[in-house]
Amino acid sequence: MKSDKISEAVVRRLPVYLRYLNELHTREVPTVSSQELGQKLDLNPAQIRKDLAYFGDFGRKGIGYDVSYLIEKIRHILKLDQQINVALVGAGNLGHALSNYNMYLKETMKIVAVFDSNDSKVGSLINTLVVQPIDELGITVKARSIRIGIVTVPNVEAQRVADQLIEAGVEAILNFAPIILKAPPHIRVHTADFTTDLLSLAYYLEDGKEHETNE
Amino acid sequence: MKSDKISEAVVRRLPVYLRYLNELHTREVPTVSSQELGQKLDLNPAQIRKDLAYFGDFGRKGIGYDVSYLIEKIRHILKLDQQINVALVGAGNLGHALSNYNMYLKETMKIVAVFDSNDSKVGSLINTLVVQPIDELGITVKARSIRIGIVTVPNVEAQRVADQLIEAGVEAILNFAPIILKAPPHIRVHTADFTTDLLSLAYYLEDGKEHETNE
DNA sequence: TAGATTGTTAATCGATTAACAATC
DNA sequence: TAGATTGTTAATCGATTAACAATC
């Protein structure tokens, strides 16, 4: 099987595969089966095989998947075989934390500019990058071919910043503000909303056993 | 409709509803329809009605939902009508960023202790909290009835920290390390993995139009 | 009353899993 | 060859959406 439109669920699993494959590669494991992957990643082996088969025949019957080859393939599918420049807007603690993940992403996806609307932050250093004022966003995005914007500003500024990023020409946005951003359909927006993760966790806490569901 | 086992997808939407309802409440809007909610939150109105109906009859036909009443109900469902104490393990930039979200959560879910394995961080202040050494984790979790642990330590430490949290008695973990944590089934683990969000975003970038899916 | 909107059932859609022939 | 494991089809499962009677 190839082509068809690939579902979002499938695409979101690819980085998970890639991550573990990189680990196997470091450990110099040459080959891995869908069963092994599934066990390690808490996924059904059939699902893994199906996911990968959307993009090509990457495995060998009776053997499994060649780790290096599959890494190469997934990196290609995710377009991580080219450098992708990223802008970070919001130089607070969260922005700081994210900029440290550059290493992890092995330089193919790279934060190349940081912006903040707060004058007191402008000019300071985040890793090796000088924080720029937000009105330089448009020029910089174009000059540096920035394709993805990460939004780590307070809620009230998030939509405005997103609009500016889109106006400047980014193709995708990773939004950390816990609000629903409005964007035109050709712009891909992912929301990394840990308040949702945290609050929904509370639902699963044990309590005086029965809690009323209605009255 | 009530009871049945509620799916994870439903539970994860509740905080999203709650967030917008709080906004409406601040704006003193008395009432809201599923249609209006759906439009604002990019969800199907029928889905919203169905989600809420799992827990009780919260709406009024012809009118919609009373904002204050629905807030109260959702807070109850999510157990946010009681204080839930949280421990943060990892006092880096990400931990710092998260501790600032206390305000947002309106104090019902509260980080009451911060731990770090790095001696140079122990004793320093994060907001109003003194960073404690990790070997005080067990005692503190019990003493302060901490029920949720947030893990913001490097990958290599994450599983060990999670084990310590579980051993200490937390019921749920929010994991920020991009690895799959192993935990017993009665422990709820949510992974807030923004590397997955970010890398999967790359898939949706435009490029020289057709990119090969196989060769 | 007429208009609006819920709660709920039925229909649809999509994603996951099982099963197995093909084949390394 | 025998054992392992893929790629893929068919079966299952679950979640979303449409439709509408009930009713405010």
Side-chain angles (χ1 to χ4, degrees):
Chain A
M1 187 187 290
K2 22 218 82 145
S3 73
D4 284 316
K5 278 100 211 161
I6 307 298
S7 89
E8 197 176 322
V10 174
V11 173
R12 279 186 56 87
R13 281 190 292 269
L14 296 178
V16 178
Y17 301 151
L18 183 58
R19 193 156 60 208
Y20 184 60
L21 289 165
N22 278 327
E23 193 189 316
L24 290 175
H25 186 65
T26 304
R27 303 213 312 263
E28 292 179 0
V29 177
T31 257
V32 67
S33 69
S34 60
Q35 178 149 133
E36 211 180 319
L37 279 169
Q39 213 206 344
K40 206 68 181 179
L41 302 177
D42 255 335
L43 295 170
N44 183 299
Q47 184 171 63
I48 295 174
R49 293 200 298 279
K50 199 163 201 282
D51 284 355
L52 296 174
Y54 282 117
F55 302 98
D57 292 0
F58 300 150
R60 290 217 293 159
K61 295 188 170 83
I63 308 284
Y65 299 90
D66 180 275
V67 171
S68 299
Y69 182 70
L70 190 53
I71 287 175
E72 191 187 303
K73 283 304 178 186
I74 296 181
R75 287 172 66 87
H76 179 70
I77 294 162
L78 288 174
K79 304 198 177 75
L80 297 175
D81 51 356
Q82 55 183 298
Q83 182 171 317
I84 296 170
N85 287 342
V86 178
L88 174 64
V89 189
N93 284 312
L94 185 55
H96 237 104
L98 294 179
S99 71
N100 291 330
Y101 273 75
N102 269 350
M103 262 98 269
Y104 172 75
L105 300 172
K106 302 210 174 155
E107 302 296 319
T108 67
M109 192 179 276
K110 195 175 178 184
I111 296 173
V112 298
V114 181
F115 302 90
D116 203 294
S117 60
N118 188 335
D119 283 345
S120 73
K121 293 233 178 77
V122 170
S124 66
L125 275 182
I126 292 230
N127 283 355
T128 58
L129 297 168
V130 178
V131 177
Q132 298 176 253
I134 237 160
D135 49 300
E136 290 180 8
L137 196 148
I139 314 150
T140 309
V141 164
K142 278 160 198 133
R144 309 242 21 206
S145 306
I146 288 168
R147 307 179 71 186
I148 296 181
I150 302 181
V151 177
T152 60
V153 299
N155 286 1
V156 286
E157 292 176 36
Q159 182 65 60
R160 184 157 31 91
V161 163
D163 293 344
Q164 286 174 283
L165 282 164
I166 293 165
E167 168 68 23
V170 303
E171 297 163 47
I173 290 177
L174 181 57
N175 169 41
F176 281 86
I179 60 163
I180 312 293
L181 289 183
K182 298 295 176 187
H186 63 285
I187 304 291
R188 183 88 195 172
V189 178
H190 284 188
T191 299
D193 179 5
F194 48 75
T195 61
T196 296
D197 291 312
L198 186 56
L199 294 181
S200 63
L201 214 46
Y203 177 81
Y204 298 98
L205 296 176
E206 297 285 326
D207 67 359
K209 228 55 198 182
E210 268 312 302
H211 80 102
E212 304 296 307
T213 54
N214 66 320
E215 70 218 326
Chain B
M1 186 186 291
K2 24 218 78 146
S3 72
D4 284 316
K5 279 101 211 159
I6 307 298
S7 89
E8 197 176 322
V10 173
V11 174
R12 280 186 56 87
R13 281 191 292 268
L14 295 178
V16 178
Y17 300 151
L18 183 58
R19 194 157 59 209
Y20 184 61
L21 289 165
N22 278 328
E23 192 188 317
L24 291 175
H25 186 66
T26 305
R27 303 213 314 261
E28 294 180 358
V29 177
T31 259
V32 68
S33 68
S34 61
Q35 177 147 133
E36 211 179 319
L37 279 169
Q39 211 206 347
K40 206 67 181 181
L41 303 176
D42 256 333
L43 296 169
N44 183 298
Q47 183 171 63
I48 295 174
R49 294 200 296 280
K50 199 163 200 284
D51 283 354
L52 297 174
Y54 283 116
F55 301 98
D57 292 1
F58 300 150
R60 290 216 294 158
K61 293 189 171 85
I63 309 286
Y65 299 89
D66 180 276
V67 171
S68 300
Y69 181 71
L70 190 53
I71 287 174
E72 191 186 303
K73 283 303 177 186
I74 295 180
R75 287 173 66 86
H76 180 68
I77 294 162
L78 288 174
K79 304 200 178 73
L80 298 175
D81 51 357
Q82 55 183 297
Q83 181 171 317
I84 297 170
N85 288 341
V86 178
L88 175 64
V89 189
N93 285 313
L94 185 54
H96 237 104
L98 294 178
S99 71
N100 292 329
Y101 273 75
N102 269 350
M103 263 98 270
Y104 172 76
L105 300 173
K106 300 209 176 158
E107 303 295 320
T108 67
M109 193 179 275
K110 196 176 176 181
I111 296 172
V112 298
V114 181
F115 302 90
D116 203 292
S117 61
N118 188 336
D119 284 344
S120 73
K121 292 233 179 79
V122 171
S124 67
L125 275 182
I126 292 232
N127 283 355
T128 58
L129 298 169
V130 179
V131 177
Q132 299 174 254
I134 238 160
D135 50 299
E136 291 180 8
L137 197 149
I139 315 151
T140 309
V141 164
K142 279 159 197 134
R144 309 241 23 207
S145 306
I146 287 167
R147 308 179 70 188
I148 296 180
I150 303 180
V151 177
T152 60
V153 299
N155 286 1
V156 286
E157 294 177 34
Q159 182 65 60
R160 184 157 32 91
V161 163
D163 293 343
Q164 287 175 282
L165 282 164
I166 293 165
E167 167 69 23
V170 304
E171 299 164 46
I173 290 177
L174 181 57
N175 169 41
F176 281 86
I179 60 162
I180 312 294
L181 289 183
K182 299 293 175 188
H186 63 285
I187 303 290
R188 183 89 195 171
V189 178
H190 283 189
T191 298
D193 178 6
F194 48 76
T195 61
T196 296
D197 292 310
L198 185 56
L199 294 181
S200 63
L201 214 46
Y203 177 81
Y204 298 98
L205 295 176
E206 297 285 326
D207 66 359
K209 227 54 198 183
E210 268 314 300
H211 81 102
E212 303 297 305
T213 54
N214 66 322
E215 73 218 325

